[in-house]
């Protein structure tokens, strides 16, 4: 149960932080999404994001920093097996399920739905 | 009354012998639900308006505004010498595509949300100068089409800033023609009495003013200095004071821009008494439009359904209309340029009634 | 009214910005923040429920991550298609945009929108308007971080 609480608190906290950046700087939401993915990758590299994922589960993996973290983790795994080439293959393999799903759903939605006001 | 154009100052002209023969406006569902909704000639319920794209829907709105104003002026399409007008979409999509239908000779104009007064002013000058007998000025905008071009796809979630304006789904058109009398030989116009008409008496062409506003979500701030500049040039060249007008109507400054404008103009307190803004009139506060309405069609529609009938009835005897436009594009904005703005003024007077 | 030159000099711009700022409504900062917190928190809690579901069906916390992401992206896409997600973001701001469901929204919304411009230059190209930069810079950042760790021998 406590994982659910932490998921709520950490996930909500990350989103609140992003909202502060949007409200207080000239950055647009698209900029902030990029910023947070990059920050997630950096935090993953520094080893501070993994404990957060362990603690908060989806609270850390579902917000976009988790996406950046996933890609860094993928590289870490890949270079152990493939060496240098892992730097190129690792991040996309790790993120492949998400990217492929979103592209397929996007194409499907373009056939199934119409924008409304 | 004989026609003519007199230069009062650079970009400021006094006109004689030009009247507005009819005005019409078409609006979307949200506009129809607003305070001016019942006065629209037509409102559409569906944003696509029976077409397959929002851009085509805007062109259809523009065409309907043109046809409605023709109907109210008792004229056929082939009796009109020229349409002057514009919209917000790239390469004047809706103006050009509606002109493909109506086949009236076209002057496509762009001053963003100030296009309507640019079109009326220029059209009135053409008629006053002689040669052009009937000119139709129009402007159109569509909320969805503008969102697509300037901001985001419709279903992409984002929060609108409190200072952001709501692009109106609306189109307005007015017919300009010479005052009757010497035109008695013109069988198309001889039936209209001079009494109760609306005369275009002066025009001020705006300059492009840029005070460094950067935020497309706050166009009131970007446009207020342009409105102040045009108002001051018009006032000093015509020798009038704010009290000489029954109404000074700005276009699309909204709540924020209107408050700034009062600070910028000379004699702000007296100005405020006479001032109203189209952007604040089109929607009611509970319609969640934040700063108010905007878009080329906003000022056109508010003039057609609100101001024109009041001038015609003599309730307002002299009205100065100053529509404002923010002249930015997604390109200029992304390249970090500030937002230049322009405002064009047209002065209207009631003819005869109760004088 | 200051005299207009174009572009107006810096001093005039600063003075004008000060004047204009007095008339602007101040952002409802606290309201935005707690709404972002609630929406973001709820989406992540839902994500945690999906993880728990997969864990109850034989997945480990690590192997549960990819299918969870797929389910959340599916939900974000469906809500976008039904026209609900933009309302959720209007209310919850970054609480709706920052989770992976918001990432799905950023792809699905333009994919729906640009149908009229055709399947290639419309849907195919425009669907990456927001997601493209996120993927590009995410990959670049991961490469840099991964390379640094590799050179430092941390990844071994």
């Amino acid at each position: 149960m406590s994982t659910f609480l932490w998921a709520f608190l950490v996930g909500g906290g990350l989103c609140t932080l992003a909202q502060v950046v949007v409200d207080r700087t000239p950055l647009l939401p698209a900029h902030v999404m990029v910023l947070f993915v990059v920050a997630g990758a950096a935090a993953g590299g520094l080893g501070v994001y993994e404990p957060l994922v362990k603690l908060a589960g989806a609270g850390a993996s579902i917000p976009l920093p988790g996406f950046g973290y996933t890609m860094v983790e993928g590289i870490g795994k890949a270079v152990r097996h493939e060496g240098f080439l892992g730097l190129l293959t690792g991040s996309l393999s790790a993120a492949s399920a998400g990217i492929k799903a979103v592209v397929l759903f996007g194409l499907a939605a373009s056939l199934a739905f119409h924008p409304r006001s | 009354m004989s026609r003519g154009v007199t230069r009062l100052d650079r970009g400021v002209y006094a006109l004689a012998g030009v009247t507005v023969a009819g005005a019409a406006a078409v609006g979307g569902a949200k506009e129809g639900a607003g305070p001016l909704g019942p006065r629209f000639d037509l409102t559409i319920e569906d944003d696509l308006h029976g077409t397959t794209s929002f851009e085509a829907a805007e062109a259809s709105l523009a065409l309907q505004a043109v046809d409605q104003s023709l109907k109210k002026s008792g004229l056929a399409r082939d009796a009109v010498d020229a349409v002057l007008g514009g919209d917000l979409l790239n390469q004047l999509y809706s103006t050009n595509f509606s002109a493909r239908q109506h086949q009236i000779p076209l002057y496509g104009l762009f001053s963003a949300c100030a296009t309507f007064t640019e079109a009326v002013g220029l059209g009135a000058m053409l008629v006053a100068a002689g040669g052009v007998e009937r000119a139709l000025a129009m402007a159109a905008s569509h909320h969805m089409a503008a969102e697509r071009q300037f901001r985001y796809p419709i279903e992409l979630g984002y929060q609108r800033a409190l200072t952001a304006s709501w692009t109106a789904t609306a189109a307005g058109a007015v017919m300009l023609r010479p005052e009757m009398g010497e035109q008695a030989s013109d069988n198309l116009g001889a039936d209209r009495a001079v009494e109760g008409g609306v005369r275009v008496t002066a025009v001020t062409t705006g300059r492009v003013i840029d005070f460094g506003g950067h935020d497309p979500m706050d166009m009131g701030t970007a446009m207020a200095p342009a409105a102040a500049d045009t108002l001051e040039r018009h006032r000093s060249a015509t020798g009038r004071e704010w009290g000489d007008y029954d109404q000074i109507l700005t276009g699309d400054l909204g709540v924020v821009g209107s408050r700034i404008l009062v600070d910028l103009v000379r004699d702000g307190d007296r100005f405020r008494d006479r001032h109203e803004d189209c952007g604040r009139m089109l929607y009611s506060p509970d319609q969640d439009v934040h700063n108010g309405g905007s878009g080329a069609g906003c000022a056109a529609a508010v003039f057609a359904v609100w101001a024109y009938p009041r001038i015609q009835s003599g309730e307002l005897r002299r009205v100065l209309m100053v529509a404002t436009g923010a002249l930015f594009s997604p390109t200029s904005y992304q390249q970090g340029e500030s937002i230049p703005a322009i405002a064009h003024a047209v002065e209207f007077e009631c003819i005869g009634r109760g004088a | 009214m200051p005299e207009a030159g174009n572009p107006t000099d810096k001093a005039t711009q600063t003075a004008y910005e000060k004047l204009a700022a007095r008339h602007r409504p101040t952002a409802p900062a606290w309201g935005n923040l707690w709404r972002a917190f609630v929406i973001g928190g709820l989406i992540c809690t839902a994500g945690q429920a999906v993880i728990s579901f997969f864990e109850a069906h034989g997945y480990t916390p690590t192997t549960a991550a990819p299918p969870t992401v797929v389910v959340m992206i599916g939900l974000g896409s469906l809500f976008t298609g039904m026209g609900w997600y933009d309302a959720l973001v209007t209310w919850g701001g970054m609480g709706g945009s920052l989770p992976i469901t918001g990432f799905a929204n950023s792809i699905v919304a333009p994919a729906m929108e640009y149908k009229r411009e055709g399947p290639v230059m419309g849907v195919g190209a425009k669907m990456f308007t927001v997601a493209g930069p996120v993927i590009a810079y995410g990959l670049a950042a991961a490469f840099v971080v991964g390379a640094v760790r590799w050179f430092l021998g941390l990844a071994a």
Side-chain angles (χ1 to χ4, degrees):
Chain A
M1 197 60 221
S2 72
T3 316
F4 280 90
L5 186 62
W6 281 115
F8 183 84
L9 293 177
V10 171
L14 285 170
C15 294
T16 309
L17 195 63
Q19 188 70 43
V20 171
V21 179
V22 169
D23 284 353
R24 296 283 156 211
T25 69
L27 296 181
L28 298 172
H31 295 128
V32 178
M33 287 165 82
V34 169
L35 185 71
F36 271 60
V37 167
V38 172
L46 294 170
V48 297
Y49 209 78
E50 195 176 350
L52 202 61
V53 173
K54 289 236 160 70
L55 172 74
S61 64
I62 292 299
L64 281 176
F67 197 52
Y69 160 76
T70 304
M71 293 199 264
V72 165
E73 283 304 289
I75 288 185
K77 224 175 276 175
V79 291
R80 277 196 286 276
H81 299 299
E82 306 172 39
F84 177 76
L85 196 63
L87 287 177
L88 297 178
T89 60
S91 44
L92 265 182
S93 325
S96 60
I99 292 177
K100 185 131 183 187
V102 85
V103 168
L104 290 179
F105 286 133
L107 291 176
S110 79
L111 299 175
F113 299 112
H114 298 279
R116 63 201 83 192
S117 37
Chain B
M1 187 174 185
S2 63
R3 289 191 256 176
V5 181
T6 312
R7 180 187 182 279
L8 299 178
D9 197 351
R10 199 161 61 107
V12 188
Y13 306 93
L15 308 188
V18 187
T19 62
V20 178
V26 186
K30 189 178 178 103
E31 292 67 25
L36 302 180
R39 303 163 199 253
F40 277 93
D41 295 275
L42 282 173
T43 51
I44 60 166
E45 289 311 312
D46 171 21
D47 276 325
L48 282 172
H49 197 26
T51 66
T52 51
S53 75
F54 297 128
E55 291 80 4
E58 184 179 311
S60 167
L61 275 184
L63 183 64
Q64 283 192 319
V66 166
D67 281 342
Q68 287 294 320
S69 73
L70 286 170
K71 200 167 124 193
K72 286 170 113 172
S73 322
L75 292 171
R77 283 180 185 174
D78 59 12
V80 179
D81 291 321
V83 163
L84 301 92
D87 57 82
L88 303 178
L89 302 180
N90 288 338
Q91 288 79 41
L92 300 187
Y93 186 120
S94 56
T95 303
N96 290 333
F97 281 66
S98 64
R100 184 171 72 176
Q101 299 299 117
H102 64 58
Q103 291 290 308
I104 302 168
L106 176 73
Y107 296 98
L109 306 175
F110 183 81
S111 283
C113 308
T115 300
F116 178 67
T117 45
E118 181 186 16
V120 174
L122 197 52
M125 286 169 68
L126 290 179
V127 174
V132 174
E133 294 301 319
R134 295 170 208 91
L136 203 153
M138 57 75 62
S141 55
H142 190 299
H143 179 75
M144 297 296 190
E147 288 286 297
R148 258 166 75 93
Q149 177 170 315
F150 286 98
R151 285 184 261 275
Y152 304 106
I154 308 302
E155 296 297 345
L156 178 63
Y158 73 100
Q159 284 180 314
R160 295 176 59 249
L162 289 175
T163 50
S165 301
W166 182 275
T167 308
T169 301
V174 304
M175 180 67 72
L176 300 158
R177 69 189 321 177
E179 237 169 279
M180 297 307 140
E182 68 180 57
Q183 291 298 315
S185 61
D186 178 354
N187 57 2
L188 284 160
D191 54 332
R192 290 191 73 88
V194 166
E195 183 84 354
V198 174
R199 189 184 282 148
V200 181
T201 48
V203 170
T204 295
T205 309
R207 305 190 287 173
V208 176
I209 305 292
D210 187 341
F211 270 29
H214 262 89
D215 188 357
M217 295 290 195
D218 179 14
M219 293 197 291
T221 296
M223 299 190 301
D229 181 70
T230 297
L231 280 163
E232 181 55 32
R233 287 173 51 223
H234 188 89
R235 193 196 59 77
S236 67
T238 55
R240 299 206 202 282
E241 291 304 327
W242 305 139
D244 294 334
Y245 299 99
D246 293 330
Q247 186 81 66
I248 300 165
L249 196 60
T250 53
D252 308 358
L253 290 175
V255 179
V256 178
S258 296
R259 287 202 290 244
I260 297 173
L261 181 60
V262 170
D263 269 6
L264 291 179
V265 295
R266 183 189 295 203
D267 205 1
D269 286 332
R270 190 161 301 166
F271 177 83
R272 181 170 23 215
D273 294 340
R274 306 286 168 159
H275 173 243
E276 190 46 89
D277 183 76
C278 297
R280 294 194 302 198
M281 300 166 75
L282 193 58
Y283 304 101
S284 53
D286 59 4
Q287 286 184 298
D288 197 30
V289 294
H290 297 197
N291 191 45
S294 67
C298 176
V302 172
F303 176 79
V305 305
W306 187 87
Y308 176 66
R310 277 173 173 69
I311 309 169
Q312 210 178 16
S313 72
E315 184 187 334
L316 300 174
R317 300 199 45 79
R318 185 180 292 134
V319 170
L320 181 60
M321 177 149 182
V322 185
T324 54
L327 305 176
F328 76 109
S329 70
T331 303
S332 75
Y333 163 67
Q334 281 165 9
Q335 290 177 349
E337 286 284 351
S338 54
I339 301 175
I342 196 162
H344 300 291
V346 182
E347 190 180 289
F348 301 93
E349 276 176 27
C350 165
I351 304 173
R353 195 164 285 195
Chain C
M1 160 125 191
E3 190 52 40
N6 290 302
T8 318
D9 67 287
K10 268 274 170 283
T12 313
Q13 288 186 8
T14 315
Y16 176 62
E17 173 52 33
K18 257 174 93 177
L19 182 154
R22 287 210 310 271
H23 296 290
R24 275 185 216 126
T26 45
W30 293 109
N32 273 357
L33 296 188
W34 77 258
R35 286 197 296 266
F37 184 81
V38 169
I39 291 294
L42 286 176
I43 292 173
C44 292
T45 310
Q48 189 58 42
V50 178
I51 291 182
S52 300
F53 172 83
F54 283 112
E55 283 179 0
H57 289 77
Y59 287 79
T60 67
T62 314
T63 57
T68 301
V69 164
V70 171
V71 169
M72 294 308 286
I73 283 174
L75 289 174
S77 305
L78 183 67
F79 273 55
T80 304
M82 301 305 290
W84 301 332
Y85 209 87
D86 65 325
L88 190 142
V89 176
T90 303
W91 195 79
M94 291 308 289
S97 296
L98 196 68
I100 198 87
T101 46
F103 180 68
N105 173 246
S106 78
I107 289 211
V108 174
M112 289 160 64
E113 181 73 50
Y114 289 96
K115 259 189 276 195
R116 262 294 263 170
E117 282 78 357
V120 176
M121 296 316 287
V123 174
K126 293 283 175 63
M127 68 196 289
F128 292 104
T129 310
V130 175
V134 169
I135 294 173
Y137 287 104
L139 287 175
F143 177 81
V144 171
V145 169
V148 169
R149 292 220 300 179
W150 189 57
F151 282 119
L152 296 177
L154 290 173

